[in-house]
Amino acid sequence: MSTEISAQTLTFLRRGRPVTLDNVAPDRTLLEVLREDLHCTGTKEGCGEGDCGACTVVLGEAVDGRLEYRAINSCIRLAHSVEGLAVWTVEDLAGDDGELHPAQEAMVQCHGSQCGFCTPGFVMSLFGMYQNTKGGQGIDRPRAQADLSGNLCRCTGYRPILDAAQQMGDLPLPSGCGVNEAATVAALKALPNKKKEATTYLRPTALTELLQLRTAHPQAQVVAGCTDVGLWVTKMHKRFAQVLDVTAVRELRRVEAYPHHIAIGAAVTLTDAYAALVKERPQLKTFAQRFAGLPVRNSGTLGGNVANGSPIGDSMPLLIGLGASVVLMRWDAKRRAVAHRELLLEDLYTGYRTNVMHPDELLAWIKVPRPTAGEHFKAYKISKRFDDDISAVCLAIRTTVTNGVVLDVSVGAGGVAATPVRARQTEAALRGQSWTADTVMAAVAALRAEFQPISDMRASAAYRQTVLGNLLQRYWLESQGLQHINLDTLNAATLEALA
Amino acid sequence: MNARDSNNPATAPVVISSRADAVAPAAEVAEVRPATSVPPASPRAAGVSRFHESARAQVAGGATYIDDIPEVRGTLHAAPVCSNVPHGRLRGMDATAALAVHGVRGVFGASDIPGDPVLAAFAHDEPVFAGETVQFTGQVVAVVVADDVMTARRAARLVKLDIESLPAVLSVHEAHALESYVLPPVHVKRGDAAAALARAPRVLESTFEIGGQEHFYLEGQIAYVLPLEQNQWWVYSSTQHPGEVQHWVSHALGIDNHAVTVECRRMGGGFGGKETQAGHLAVWAAVASRKLQRPVKLRLDRDDDFMVTGKRHPFAYHYRVGFDETGLLCGLDLEMLVNCGFSADLSGPVADRAIFHADNAYFLEDVAISSYRCKTNTQSHTAFRGFGGPQGVIVIERILSDIARELGVDPLDVRLRNLYGIESRNVTHYQMKVEDNILEPLMTTLAGTSGYRQRREQITAWNAQSPVIKKGIALTPVKFGISFTATLFNQAGALVHVYTDGSVQVNHGGTEMGQGLNTKVAAIVADELGIPFERVLSTASDTSKVPNASATAASSGTDLNGRAAQFAARNVRDNLAAFVAGLDLCGAGAVKFEGGQVISPTATRTFEEVVHAAYANRIQLWSDGFYRTPKIHYDKTTLTGRPFYYFAYGAAVTEVAIDTLTGESRVLKVDILHDVGHSINPAIDIGQIEGGFVQGMGWLTTEQLVWNAKGYLATHAPSTYKIPATGDIPEHFKVDLWPEANREDNVHGSKAVGEPPFMLAISVFEALRDAVAQAGGRPQAMNAPGTAEEVLRATSSFAG
């Protein structure tokens, strides 16, 4: 590694023992460190952008005395972000005498590997599932499909891998293959706290400290789960002399419930953030599962997605439709206190990947209104592939209809402009109007006219405009009680039952 | 079809079934066994669903791919410098900034090639590095070599290319209008298509376009070249064709073939994408390695892999087809425009195979096919599973569905009406007699087991009361010719080494890319020697062991290499039998090898004992084996003969649903009945069928390659290019194997399986078009892939 960038030590737990690496540059990925420094080549690079899952490893973190397991993409995860965590790679599962872990054995038994290159990634996603399901219990086919949606296989057609996921829980766990949770938690606690030595990779654990570091190091690259910034490294070949990682900040890792809103900390992973949103509105379950693949949701944060502000990021149209706001924070050195301001999410953005945030400001919280009585909310996503794809068009609609009149409405749209946007003209066409087919058709026309989307590799402008209006029609049809008009919520069995 | 899903592998009929939706998985295929077990005890190694020979290593991270090989001291890393315009005159290259980067060791291009600057490809039309002109966006002009990968990649972006843009030909229609071809057009005729069309009761005329496909092997292209002494070279290459890599490297370095050794233990997927394309990387790395006299590894970043390497050929068609009121074809005039990209590569045989498979399962009496091999300023399209076959099959399947809709009859009936006959109507348009036709019983069996006809009725009724979601169904067959159409490639060699402890190594000219070739070959060798499967080890493909091997392609891996290995093992067995016959004073033919024992009329010995004794008596314990496919011949000038040893057959029924508001679709149910002859390994064969089907489904649904108006491939990563994921797999996905052995004398009565199932996925596309028709849309207007946008365009008035 030729580099002028100075580097710091990295320590994490592997196979129950601390692994310490000297001189790891702040912008090196976990995959590079595993393959190049530790010579553990079981973990593969398939795409270098978190889309294929060949590089999947599992991270373990002690939370309230228990281990929490997360399968993540090591190719776009910065190595230093696993400081103080436990890491499992595909080499770490088998027993000392070579007995395979059930996640591995099931793959063998079900003929789940052909070329074998995606296999380590699948095995690690299976291992993550195994640990999170009390040894692979109760995994049905939809669960297997959802949890493996971030792993691509080009050989098998997946059927044997899905079988393996469902059957691994029936296999015995060889004695050498189990995770000793208590010992691991203890070993994690015993790892040295090296925060004070940190110079190039800053990973504060308290909010005030984070904001002060931000003020002190305005040039540092801010990262959360790195599921986008990781690509700046692997694909755009950017280098960072200093990184400020927000993911360890205690306050920002919480989801807090208030009477009228929930507040999601900027360091809450997409997995946990969507779980909180689905808890509030169960109809979002499918939409949540379609956000990237599980390893990306396990690393990436909702705050990162929002701060990043990609026009095709799927969480923003959803949040705009929900009427969410964001809280920006900074350290006010004069007052020696934290300063903050709050604004509606749609007002955060000023243009393509630009926003109103000051250099010393960080996005700290996302506030999402709780469901109100009479609220009807739906979010739709159109993409080439059902799972793990970026939307061509995304539309989120919330209405409150009282006595046949639209009292309140908010519409968020993605994929139609340089930023995620609120469809104000469409809202105007609906607000105060009677909730009828004529009103909806007028709103459909308004929605199609409101944006001038571009044509690109995901869809043509004409398709985007047409479908935007069609989705509003679907929303209308669903509000009229029409069932089974959405493939997302249908499976073969329910389709059969309709007949 | 009779009894399947038997739980007793010993007595069950040979029909093997895999049901994804079954509560109890089929025996032998998906059964979970205790961790320490092995597959069911069998006196034979073949015919049983043995686990992939590398499975246990693969799941533990212990299977080595090229990038995992411990690097030799001094290894450097290369990254390509690519053209950023589709066509232009390369006036110069300024590498100053790149060379100034700490850790960069050099930048090498066309002027650094000691041998021929043109690749040793068949058409000799592709430069190693772009010279005076660049011919597509992504064409490699040079490589930057540095101490580590990221430094090389960063520096490659700093190399400035001075290119004067020239007009680029980006569409196949434009190329055809300009008569811009990589190879001359080919016309195949039988009868008089024009006259038949003139007197046909009804005529349909249409156009159709189908996109290409990126291989998306999970392991990207890679080569690792090590200098040896005296201008000799060791090349690790992820390649389906080590012999060609050897040939290309030696040609570019200007040295003899014998000075280059190429090794490949396994690939992380190939699918045709590592047939010729792997050679380019090896040559680039070798040129750099020779200049620096250091080991050089070149591993393409995934985005570069998309930009640099060829894809499946996109096709455009124009056809006129005549038919009568019964749906019988009478006259077909078909024009195929093949987008070959900037060079010939394998486009000639790919386009030829599209012609050979334009009949698919059907007798074309009066037919005229014109095939234009169009040159465009894009990546040079290359082999991809099916090798032009899918592009031939899909057009006739489309035609038959449209005829059925014209006539208002079930497309299955039109298909059955036009099938090849047994006694008559049994000669292809390239004059090969179809001798092993099982199409009719296979299709009617599948129609019965899948409930096709009842379901078609149910679907029509269902659609009538479903306002937004519409379903469709289709049954399509495949008949796929097995053999390289270039007859000379149908040869193979193998080596079987028996060591004095009775363990066996087998090496053959084929390559392992996940398809289970080594597992099958080891089983064949084990059976030939009558020893347990576990005693036989398959080793890396290596040009210094078996020379001049053909590519592992055309589904032929097991047919060719399995037979060659069988013959090699048989030679050793014959030596041992003769030796035992001498000891026991019997005929050698009376000596049997089974269950790890060697049994003569008077004595039973273990295989190990015999081997030990034979060695002591100076009996040769190793041998070569050689095989060439019989019966085949083919005249390239007239495109007639018997290019194929036999045909592999299959059929699939697919049911889909589409959303008429968005064009999104789901594949709901798939039933497959496929012919692999007597399976050497049912689990592996079912894996090939399922995997091939899903890959074909991707080609026809979500996998869309988009080149923008400037000839830049905009879908160059998995973020934008979407192969099927777990959620795309139908809930009901059932595969049955046809029980009959290959009627030709092929190894263990088996049939090739790699490519044919890919074309079963054409049923997905035809089911989508059926759903579009049932929604009142225009299925004849639908091109492939059937993305949501394409389905909506065909379904609604949306013009796009």
Side-chain angles (χ1 to χ4, degrees):
Chain A
M1 186 79 199
S2 73
T3 171
E4 309 81 50
I5 290 173
S6 63
Q8 68 192 48
T9 313
L10 163 63
T11 303
F12 56 88
L13 200 69
R14 193 154 178 243
R15 296 172 198 161
R17 290 198 202 94
V19 174
T20 298
L21 292 163
D22 294 328
N23 208 28
V24 176
D27 53 0
R28 291 194 73 205
T29 66
L30 178 57
L31 180 64
E32 282 176 335
V33 166
L34 288 172
R35 290 184 61 88
E36 294 171 9
D37 296 13
L38 294 173
H39 307 292
C40 290
T41 54
T43 310
K44 311 300 183 195
E45 177 179 296
C47 68
E49 61 174 42
D51 273 304
C52 79
C55 66
T56 306
V57 300
V58 170
L59 302 183
E61 182 172 12
V63 178
D64 302 329
R66 294 203 53 243
L67 267 184
E68 220 171 57
Y69 302 86
R70 295 285 169 97
I72 60 108
N73 296 118
S74 64
C75 71
I76 49 171
R77 179 98 177 196
L78 295 182
H80 280 288
S81 72
V82 302
E83 173 80 36
L85 303 182
V87 178
W88 285 268
T89 74
V90 71
E91 292 102 337
D92 303 333
L93 304 191
D96 292 339
D97 297 330
E99 316 102 315
L100 296 179
H101 186 278
Q104 298 170 312
E105 186 65 36
M107 282 286 278
V108 174
Q109 302 281 351
C110 294
H111 304 275
S113 69
Q114 287 187 21
C115 86
F117 201 81
C118 71
T119 308
F122 271 100
V123 164
M124 294 316 291
S125 284
L126 290 172
F127 172 68
M129 285 174 80
Y130 188 89
Q131 294 303 109
N132 285 322
T133 53
K134 298 188 171 68
Q137 298 308 303
I139 297 172
D140 59 8
R141 171 112 168 186
R143 169 77 193 262
Q145 284 180 314
D147 279 19
L148 296 173
S149 66
N151 292 88
L152 297 179
C153 168
R154 194 55 153 166
C155 294
T156 64
Y158 301 105
R159 192 272 309 162
I161 299 174
L162 296 169
D163 283 353
Q166 291 175 254
Q167 295 177 19
M168 65 180 172
D170 300 337
L171 293 171
L173 179 67
S175 57
C177 295
V179 175
N180 184 334
E181 290 217 0
T184 306
V185 170
L188 284 171
K189 270 193 186 152
L191 289 179
N193 182 347
K194 300 185 301 184
K195 216 171 69 184
K196 289 199 175 63
E197 307 156 25
T199 51
T200 57
Y201 195 94
L202 311 172
R203 198 159 176 257
T205 52
L207 180 58
T208 308
E209 185 191 0
L210 168 70
L211 298 172
Q212 288 171 341
L213 283 169
R214 181 60 181 152
T215 305
H217 304 284
Q219 82 298 338
Q221 175 62 47
V222 177
V223 304
C226 248
T227 52
D228 194 46
V229 174
L231 277 74
W232 305 359
V233 173
T234 60
K235 299 296 176 176
M236 295 160 70
H237 306 157
K238 282 197 182 176
R239 303 226 56 189
F240 308 130
Q242 194 175 43
V243 169
L244 178 57
D245 180 340
V246 307
T247 55
V249 176
R250 280 185 305 273
E251 295 94 324
L252 300 185
R253 293 170 52 115
R254 293 200 293 259
V255 176
E256 297 175 353
Y258 297 93
H260 298 294
H261 72 270
I262 60 170
I264 300 171
V268 174
T269 63
L270 286 156
T271 301
D272 292 345
Y274 271 110
L277 293 170
V278 169
K279 198 172 155 200
E280 298 282 304
R281 292 175 176 85
Q283 70 266 39
L284 291 178
K285 186 180 174 205
T286 305
F287 189 90
Q289 280 181 353
R290 290 181 65 186
F291 188 105
L294 183 64
V296 164
R297 294 197 299 272
N298 279 343
S299 253
T301 64
L302 188 65
N305 197 240
V306 167
N308 200 16
S310 162
I312 43 177
D314 281 340
S315 63
M316 289 82 85
L318 172 73
L319 294 169
I320 289 171
L322 288 169
S325 56
V326 290
V327 178
L328 308 181
M329 288 183 165
R330 65 185 175 86
W331 178 248
D332 186 334
K334 274 186 199 154
R335 289 176 47 234
R336 299 194 53 77
V338 173
H340 75 276
R341 57 175 173 146
E342 180 175 339
L343 58 164
L344 280 173
L345 176 54
E346 58 267 30
D347 297 334
L348 178 67
Y349 307 113
T350 54
Y352 179 72
R353 290 189 179 233
T354 57
N355 59 47
V356 301
M357 282 162 66
H358 300 304
D360 61 347
E361 264 182 332
L362 287 171
L363 189 147
W365 296 94
I366 298 150
K367 292 169 70 174
V368 183
R370 308 193 75 164
T372 53
E375 169 194 291
H376 184 62
F377 182 82
K378 280 285 169 79
Y380 305 107
K381 167 174 175 168
I382 306 297
S383 52
K384 270 187 198 153
R385 189 171 67 199
F386 185 70
D387 285 311
D388 194 7
D389 196 358
I390 292 164
S391 56
V393 172
C394 184
L395 189 70
I397 311 170
R398 184 176 62 152
T399 56
T400 307
V401 177
T402 308
N403 298 328
V405 174
V406 181
L407 284 188
D408 191 20
V409 57
S410 51
V411 180
V416 296
T419 69
V421 284
R422 186 156 180 179
R424 295 189 188 280
Q425 292 167 30
T426 307
E427 290 176 7
L430 290 168
R431 191 174 291 114
Q433 305 294 313
S434 52
W435 185 236
T436 63
D438 285 348
T439 302
V440 170
M441 287 319 290
V444 164
L447 181 56
R448 286 188 179 138
E450 185 161 1
F451 305 107
Q452 285 72 49
I454 57 165
S455 289
D456 66 8
M457 77 297 272
R458 293 197 173 85
S460 69
Y463 177 78
R464 287 182 159 120
Q465 271 173 330
T466 302
V467 167
L468 264 186
N470 288 359
L471 291 174
L472 182 50
Q473 286 186 51
R474 160 162 292 138
Y475 182 83
W476 157 256
L477 292 173
E478 286 177 341
S479 80
Q480 299 307 295
L482 252 76
Q483 299 292 309
H484 307 310
I485 62 167
N486 197 335
L487 287 174
D488 292 11
T489 54
L490 293 184
N491 55 30
T494 55
L495 278 168
E496 198 99 40
L498 241 183
Chain B
M1 189 63 37
N2 44 29
R4 45 173 184 74
D5 287 4
S6 166
N7 286 318
N8 186 341
T11 58
V14 286
V15 180
I16 305 295
S17 174
S18 152
R19 293 198 50 165
D21 58 334
V23 176
E28 296 198 358
V29 175
E31 185 184 3
V32 172
R33 300 179 190 85
T36 52
S37 83
V38 294
S42 165
R44 296 175 67 77
V48 177
S49 290
R50 304 212 165 261
F51 304 136
H52 193 287
E53 43 86 14
S54 290
R56 295 181 73 81
Q58 288 167 338
V59 300
T64 305
Y65 302 80
I66 307 278
D67 200 33
D68 305 335
I69 296 169
E71 285 170 10
V72 169
R73 189 174 58 206
T75 293
L76 302 171
H77 300 267
V81 177
C82 298
S83 167
N84 56 2
V85 298
H87 190 202
R89 188 168 294 115
L90 182 62
R91 290 188 295 217
M93 176 174 78
D94 178 3
T96 314
L99 289 166
V101 173
H102 179 72
V104 170
R105 302 291 165 173
V107 179
F108 307 105
S111 61
D112 298 300
I113 302 163
D116 187 349
V118 179
L119 288 171
F122 175 71
H124 203 249
D125 63 346
E126 195 171 339
V128 172
F129 294 109
E132 289 173 6
T133 59
V134 293
Q135 299 191 76
F136 72 99
T137 302
Q139 186 171 11
V140 175
V141 175
V143 289
V144 174
V145 180
D147 291 349
D148 66 85
V149 179
M150 289 310 285
T151 301
R153 290 180 183 172
R154 280 189 204 104
R157 302 257 176 113
L158 300 176
V159 176
K160 291 194 191 77
L161 300 177
D162 177 14
I163 301 173
E164 175 193 348
S165 273
L166 296 171
V169 177
L170 298 176
S171 93
V172 75
H173 300 288
E174 197 183 346
H176 184 43
L178 294 167
E179 297 188 10
S180 161
Y181 304 126
V182 294
L183 293 166
V186 168
H187 305 279
V188 172
K189 285 184 175 144
R190 172 166 63 184
D192 188 338
L197 280 161
R199 62 174 183 265
R202 300 175 79 146
V203 172
L204 269 179
E205 180 167 3
S206 188
T207 59
F208 175 48
E209 298 206 4
I210 183 152
Q213 185 177 28
E214 161 63 33
H215 303 83
F216 207 83
Y217 24 67
L218 262 289
E219 178 208 33
Q221 302 272 0
I222 182 166
Y224 182 24
V225 177
L226 294 90
L228 307 176
E229 64 167 51
Q230 301 181 61
N231 205 15
Q232 295 163 33
W233 304 85
W234 188 275
V235 180
Y236 293 105
S237 170
S238 180
T239 176
Q240 293 171 240
H241 200 173
E244 186 158 55
V245 171
Q246 175 196 26
H247 180 193
W248 285 19
V249 167
S250 58
H251 189 80
L253 296 186
I255 56 177
D256 290 336
N257 285 357
H258 68 200
V260 178
T261 300
V262 179
E263 183 187 306
C264 176
R265 172 60 182 90
R266 62 173 63 78
M267 283 162 275
F271 315 112
K274 293 173 180 172
E275 190 170 336
T276 56
Q277 308 295 294
H280 300 68
L281 273 87
V283 170
W284 297 328
V287 168
S289 181
R290 183 186 168 279
K291 286 294 280 195
L292 294 164
Q293 290 297 314
R294 296 265 296 266
V296 172
K297 189 196 280 189
L298 174 50
R299 169 168 65 86
L300 285 184
D301 172 73
R302 179 62 64 175
D303 292 64
D304 289 340
D305 200 315
F306 267 82
M307 294 304 292
V308 169
T309 66
K311 325 286 174 214
R312 181 185 295 284
H313 292 69
F315 272 52
Y317 313 82
H318 176 233
Y319 57 82
R320 292 181 71 231
V321 60
F323 55 101
D324 68 16
E325 299 301 329
T326 69
L328 188 71
L329 293 168
C330 37
L332 172 66
D333 187 343
L334 172 64
E335 182 184 272
M336 298 177 168
L337 305 184
V338 185
N339 187 340
C340 300
F342 85 99
S343 73
D345 187 71
L346 296 167
S347 295
V350 166
D352 286 350
R353 196 172 265 269
I355 296 172
F356 291 135
H357 287 81
D359 61 342
N360 191 20
Y362 314 106
F363 179 65
L364 306 176
E365 192 157 17
D366 293 289
V367 57
I369 302 174
S370 299
S371 169
Y372 298 93
R373 291 90 203 269
C374 299
K375 177 176 177 169
T376 59
N377 292 112
T378 56
Q379 290 82 354
S380 183
H381 298 310
T382 192
F384 196 143
R385 199 177 201 166
F387 203 71
Q391 293 97 320
V393 173
I394 195 168
V395 68
I396 194 71
E397 292 301 331
R398 172 188 173 85
I399 285 170
L400 292 177
S401 297
D402 284 346
I403 287 175
R405 274 188 285 271
E406 281 286 309
L407 298 172
V409 299
D410 187 331
L412 176 57
D413 291 324
V414 174
R415 291 192 161 90
L416 292 170
R417 179 93 178 85
N418 284 287
L419 288 181
Y420 276 107
I422 305 296
E423 299 299 331
S424 62
R425 293 169 54 81
N426 61 1
V427 176
T428 65
H429 53 300
Y430 47 90
Q431 306 304 322
M432 175 173 169
K433 190 173 174 193
V434 182
E435 295 173 340
D436 53 9
N437 182 356
I438 53 169
L439 286 160
E440 199 275 337
L442 187 144
M443 288 168 71
T444 51
T445 301
L446 177 65
T449 55
S450 67
Y452 169 83
R453 293 199 188 266
Q454 304 90 294
R455 280 163 66 194
R456 174 164 282 286
E457 284 178 24
Q458 287 163 5
I459 284 168
T460 307
W462 191 93
N463 284 341
Q465 51 78 62
S466 176
V468 174
I469 308 297
K470 301 287 181 186
K471 295 210 265 187
I473 190 169
L475 186 159
T476 64
V478 64
K479 162 186 137 286
F480 194 77
I482 301 299
S483 292
F484 288 98
T485 53
T487 303
L488 78 160
F489 294 147
N490 296 287
Q491 58 174 308
L495 293 172
V496 167
H497 298 176
V498 177
Y499 293 91
T500 53
D501 65 351
S503 67
V504 177
Q505 253 190 21
V506 58
N507 188 280
H508 53 83
T511 55
E512 174 66 38
M513 62 194 100
Q515 83 279 42
L517 173 60
N518 282 344
T519 312
K520 287 183 174 178
V521 170
I524 291 165
V525 168
D527 280 354
E528 205 61 30
L529 297 173
I531 57 174
F533 176 78
E534 292 71 23
R535 295 292 276 166
V536 182
L537 184 73
S538 296
T539 55
S541 310
D542 179 340
T543 56
S544 65
K545 282 201 160 186
V546 174
N548 312 324
S550 297
T552 307
S555 309
S556 67
T558 304
D559 287 12
L560 298 177
N561 299 292
R563 255 280 146 84
Q566 187 179 38
F567 289 169
R570 192 166 294 169
N571 290 340
V572 177
R573 192 189 64 185
D574 287 348
N575 291 349
L576 293 173
F579 170 65
V580 170
L583 293 179
D584 294 352
L585 303 174
C586 64
V591 180
K592 293 195 166 31
F593 293 73
E594 58 190 40
Q597 295 184 317
V598 182
I599 304 157
S600 78
T602 55
T604 295
R605 303 175 180 85
T606 66
F607 183 75
E608 289 77 9
E609 283 172 332
V610 170
V611 165
H612 201 73
Y615 172 75
N617 284 275
R618 297 181 293 169
I619 303 296
Q620 185 178 344
L621 291 176
W622 57 275
S623 176
D624 63 308
F626 182 77
Y627 176 68
R628 56 179 176 177
T629 311
K631 292 190 178 182
I632 50 176
H633 58 90
Y634 171 58
D635 182 338
K636 258 200 297 198
T637 53
T638 59
L639 278 102
T640 59
R642 177 176 177 153
F644 307 121
Y645 185 33
Y646 62 89
F647 293 100
Y649 299 92
V653 174
T654 296
E655 183 177 331
V656 302
I658 63 169
D659 179 336
T660 56
L661 285 175
T662 61
E664 293 167 292
S665 66
R666 297 279 181 281
V667 177
L668 304 173
K669 291 186 180 181
V670 175
D671 292 89
I672 290 170
L673 178 55
H674 196 78
D675 163 34
V676 297
H678 273 173
S679 178
I680 292 172
N681 186 318
I684 283 176
D685 286 345
I686 287 170
Q688 287 294 298
I689 294 165
E690 291 175 333
F693 180 90
V694 170
Q695 196 172 57
M697 182 179 94
W699 176 50
L700 295 168
T701 55
T702 57
E703 294 185 37
Q704 187 178 32
L705 290 164
V706 180
W707 283 270
N708 71 14
K710 292 177 181 166
Y712 172 83
L713 178 63
T715 50
H716 53 79
S719 52
T720 47
Y721 183 79
K722 310 310 281 191
I723 71 167
T726 53
D728 299 308
I729 306 314
E731 279 187 39
H732 173 99
F733 193 3
K734 177 167 165 281
V735 177
D736 285 338
L737 300 182
W738 184 255
E740 192 184 348
N742 193 334
R743 293 184 194 177
E744 295 294 345
D745 176 21
N746 203 46
V747 63
H748 284 244
S750 69
K751 284 192 177 184
V753 69
E755 293 166 293
F758 182 91
M759 279 148 281
L760 297 172
I762 289 168
S763 61
V764 175
F765 192 67
E766 289 308 307
L768 285 172
R769 296 207 312 132
D770 183 51
V772 167
Q774 302 225 19
R778 298 163 293 124
Q780 68 277 14
M782 196 168 132
N783 287 320
T787 59
E789 178 161 351
E790 190 61 29
V791 169
L792 191 69
R793 185 181 287 117
T795 306
S796 71
S797 56
F798 146 71

